[in-house]
Amino acid sequence: MTKKLLPLLAIGAISFGAGAMLPRPAADLPPITVPMLQAAQGLLGLNFTAAQLDSTRRDLEDNRKDYEQIRQVKLPNSVAPTLVFDPVPLRLRQAMLPKASNDFGKLPPTAKVKLPANRDDLAFYTVRQLSELVRTKQISSEELTRFFLARLKKYDPKLLCVTTLTEELALQQAREADKEIKAGKYRGPLHGIPFGVKDLFSTKTYKTTWGSVPYKDQTLDEDAAVVTRLREAGGVLVAKFTLGELAMGDVWYGGKTRSPWNITQGSSGSSAGSASAVAAGLVPYAIGTETLGSIVSPSTACGVTGLRPSYGRISRAGAMALSWSMDKVGPLARSAEDCALVFAALVGADARDPATTTIPAGFKYAFDTDIKKLRVGYLKADFDRDYPTKANDQASLEVMRKLGVQLVPLDLHDLPDGELTFVLGAEGAAAFDELTRSGRDAMMVNQGRNAWPNSFRTARFIPAVEYIQAQRVRRQLIEEVDKRMQGFDAYLAPSFGGPNLVITNLTGHPAVVVPNGFRANGLPSTITFGGQLFEEGKLLALVKAYQDATDFDEKHPPLNF
């Protein structure tokens, strides 16, 4: 064994003795030092500075503790990782795709919608209401598009939620929609309705900046799958919305995106602009993504309804990759019904995203579900603890009971969660390998210890064995969560605190986050409805029942700034 290899083995918490390689408790190992990392990075072909390695050193100590926790998990040889080798080339995958279905079932009836005397009221109409106005020709798509473009121009200087207005394209698409609707070719409830996408989705002719300085002038010559599918549904793309740099937080190269409820507060992230714009009535819906809270968190800060679908339900082709095994795409809108309309247009397999090929091909509305017949759980231990929004959550539980839903205790504690999240760092570091090695990560706005530049450097020292072992433990986590959720149709959880957010992002389960009150700082609070894999229909039906019984989804900020 060379002396050069010893430091790397110390990082991995491995020691040799009596001819065997055995794990050694992290507490018994020497602290990780800069000289140790300088020797190790020579083996890996890296050249980070002493200052960069000093920041990385502390994170590596944390990682080593995570490795130690994972090593305590019994892993029979039969347990495979969550990442499964797929030998099918794209050419064959395209031929194997199931045919898409346009039968989404029936939507619940809606009251007759009339054009309001005060046009400003349109800003907070739902997708369903706006679609009725367009379908019945009370307003044209072009008029509606100009209305929302004007609001985007008016409020963006304060909210900082837009990276690019796609005005020319939007007006072109709106006129085409009007022409088709006039000719009797109505595509459905999204036809002629303006929307925006998080600026990690590629768009031809318009920049795709990923919210980050090194990419702020980047143009990609393709439309992301979600952009294409919404165009095919007749949607009108009016803007690309901000995201925290490379999908972290709400700070991007243009500043900090704000919540319209209190512009001294950030909109959280990373789907920062999408949530802010929907909450402010700048678009009726927008598309975001979540890897570890990026729909749930900004939906909470801005008081909108966010759907994080089951992993793999919506294609990520043309979207910036952060974690191939965790990234998910979903809509942010005013209500569960609106989320369902958008989800129906986006769901389905795509040869360009292999994760979408092994899941159910379609989706049906389930709003006729008798929610009293659903078995609904709640994470009792998490609701019982003390936390700032407990009163709002308890009131939400009471609403469900009054609707005839019997809430059954469910427990997701004593499961691995936080110690597995370094897999995100490893995949993110791979996705941005060139950025790190080129040194262009120094151009990014955030340079703190917990920001991406340091996280990506830290991930360079994650041993491949530990990454694969984490994915094997993740397989066991998936099986255990499935076991605990058997017999349940859905459950309720606090949006933050407790293990639910991390666990379900690791297992790929769907969630809908909905506003349920306000916090002391004036920002909204939310509660989360979780569901079974690929059962978004039942989940959205349950959420709609809650929203029909409350009015939190109908509230909107005064915008007096």
Side-chain angles (χ1 to χ4, degrees):
M1 183 193 311
T2 65
K3 291 182 179 179
K4 203 172 189 182
L5 186 59
L6 283 169
L8 191 60
L9 293 175
I11 294 170
I14 298 294
S15 62
F16 286 88
M21 187 168 72
L22 300 170
R24 182 172 156 192
D28 296 340
L29 289 165
I32 296 173
T33 64
V34 170
M36 183 187 293
L37 294 179
Q38 287 172 325
Q41 74 170 354
L43 179 65
L44 301 174
L46 304 174
N47 191 31
F48 300 140
T49 67
Q52 290 172 333
L53 291 173
D54 186 52
S55 293
T56 298
R57 174 185 61 80
R58 290 172 289 177
D59 289 340
L60 288 172
E61 295 273 12
D62 292 338
N63 279 4
R64 192 162 65 178
K65 293 174 184 176
D66 291 341
Y67 306 155
E68 183 64 23
Q69 284 185 270
I70 289 172
R71 288 170 182 159
Q72 305 308 310
V73 178
K74 186 177 180 180
L75 282 173
N77 181 263
S78 58
V79 177
T82 53
L83 302 180
V84 179
F85 173 67
D86 182 359
V88 182
L90 292 181
R91 176 184 60 81
L92 294 180
R93 184 175 304 285
Q94 183 65 47
M96 294 165 57
L97 288 182
K99 290 184 178 180
S101 171
N102 293 322
D103 180 16
F104 304 121
K106 291 184 178 180
L107 282 167
T110 184
K112 189 174 182 180
V113 183
K114 292 184 178 180
L115 193 66
N118 181 357
R119 292 294 179 94
D120 286 345
D121 291 345
L122 290 172
F124 299 101
Y125 272 35
T126 64
V127 173
R128 188 86 188 276
Q129 290 171 320
L130 292 174
S131 71
E132 280 299 293
L133 292 176
V134 171
R135 185 185 67 83
T136 57
K137 304 182 182 66
Q138 295 180 62
I139 190 170
S140 69
S141 176
E142 183 174 352
E143 289 177 282
L144 198 59
T145 298
R146 290 188 183 277
F147 171 80
F148 282 113
L149 284 169
R151 289 184 65 82
L152 285 160
K153 293 174 184 177
K154 179 178 180 180
Y155 291 107
D156 177 59
K158 290 288 188 180
L159 296 175
L160 299 180
C161 61
V162 177
T163 57
T164 304
L165 275 180
T166 57
E167 184 168 7
E168 183 179 353
L169 173 65
L171 292 174
Q172 175 190 329
Q173 291 180 335
R175 290 172 187 140
E176 182 64 25
D178 287 333
K179 188 183 302 182
E180 289 183 343
I181 293 169
K182 185 178 180 179
K185 185 184 177 183
Y186 185 62
R187 295 175 182 248
L190 301 185
H191 202 173
I193 306 301
F195 72 97
V197 298
K198 186 175 182 177
D199 194 20
L200 54 63
F201 293 103
S202 58
T203 46
K204 288 182 179 179
T205 72
Y206 291 100
K207 292 192 297 183
T208 301
T209 73
W210 300 346
S212 186
V213 177
Y215 304 99
K216 68 184 181 69
D217 295 316
Q218 172 178 253
T219 301
L220 302 173
D221 189 28
E222 68 170 343
D223 284 331
V226 297
V227 173
T228 299
R229 289 187 176 179
L230 290 173
R231 181 178 67 240
E232 291 170 349
V236 176
L237 178 63
V238 293
K240 302 192 74 176
F241 292 130
T242 59
L243 65 152
E245 278 195 289
L246 304 185
M248 180 189 285
D250 50 22
V251 175
W252 56 294
Y253 60 83
K256 185 183 185 75
T257 302
R258 307 290 173 169
S259 169
W261 287 97
N262 180 349
I263 62 170
T264 68
Q265 302 291 317
S267 68
S268 190
S270 67
S271 302
S274 295
S276 180
V278 170
L282 311 189
V283 286
Y285 75 94
I287 307 302
T289 62
E290 173 155 321
T291 306
L292 196 62
S294 288
I295 288 176
V296 171
S297 190
S299 293
T300 298
C302 298
V304 300
T305 302
L307 166 63
R308 184 193 76 212
S310 304
Y311 175 82
R313 287 288 256 166
I314 298 174
S315 173
R316 302 162 302 178
M320 183 201 90
L322 180 61
S323 171
W324 293 278
S325 73
M326 293 180 69
D327 294 342
K328 297 160 287 286
V329 178
L332 297 89
R334 310 213 178 287
S335 67
E337 185 175 85
D338 281 0
C339 285
L341 296 176
V342 180
F343 182 60
L346 295 176
V347 70
D350 182 353
R352 294 181 297 163
D353 183 355
T356 63
T357 62
T358 60
I359 59 174
F363 163 73
K364 280 186 178 287
Y365 302 124
F367 291 120
D368 58 352
T369 299
D370 182 352
I371 65 167
K372 294 180 183 178
K373 294 182 179 179
L374 297 179
R375 189 164 189 257
V376 180
Y378 75 113
L379 301 188
K380 185 177 185 302
D382 297 325
F383 283 118
D384 285 349
R385 65 189 170 83
D386 290 326
Y387 58 102
T389 59
K390 181 174 182 175
N392 294 348
D393 285 356
Q394 292 296 325
S396 296
L397 296 180
E398 189 58 30
V399 168
M400 298 309 297
R401 293 186 179 105
K402 287 181 178 179
L403 289 173
V405 175
Q406 182 179 356
L407 298 176
V408 181
L410 174 66
D411 188 12
L412 294 181
H413 284 267
D414 303 319
L415 295 171
D417 55 318
E419 62 266 34
L420 294 178
T421 56
F422 70 81
V423 302
L424 190 167
E427 293 179 26
F432 292 98
D433 168 55
E434 189 275 334
L435 177 71
T436 301
R437 289 187 296 102
S438 69
R440 292 191 303 128
D441 56 352
M443 300 167 63
M444 294 178 65
V445 175
N446 286 329
Q447 292 290 330
R449 177 189 166 191
N450 295 320
W452 282 136
N454 188 58
S455 295
F456 292 158
R457 287 191 288 268
T458 299
R460 306 297 304 215
F461 295 94
I462 296 173
V465 170
E466 306 296 352
Y467 172 81
I468 294 172
Q469 292 296 80
Q471 294 289 12
R472 294 179 72 204
V473 173
R474 189 176 171 189
R475 168 58 60 196
Q476 289 190 327
L477 173 66
I478 288 169
E479 298 301 329
E480 180 60 27
V481 170
D482 180 65
K483 179 180 176 181
R484 295 191 188 190
M485 286 183 61
Q486 281 183 17
F488 287 97
D489 295 294
Y491 67 93
L492 286 87
S495 291
F496 300 99
N500 181 65
L501 180 65
V502 174
I503 284 177
T504 55
N505 268 293
L506 285 165
T507 61
H509 282 78
V512 183
V513 58
V514 297
N516 72 338
F518 291 88
R519 292 176 272 171
N521 63 359
L523 296 186
S525 65
T526 63
I527 191 167
T528 294
F529 288 71
Q532 291 281 7
L533 284 167
F534 316 126
E535 291 288 353
E536 287 86 359
K538 285 183 183 178
L539 181 58
L540 289 164
L542 185 66
V543 176
K544 184 180 185 301
Y546 172 79
Q547 292 188 318
D548 286 347
T550 59
D551 65 353
F552 299 112
D553 57 303
E554 298 169 22
K555 296 184 183 297
H556 53 80
L559 303 180
N560 53 3
F561 48 81

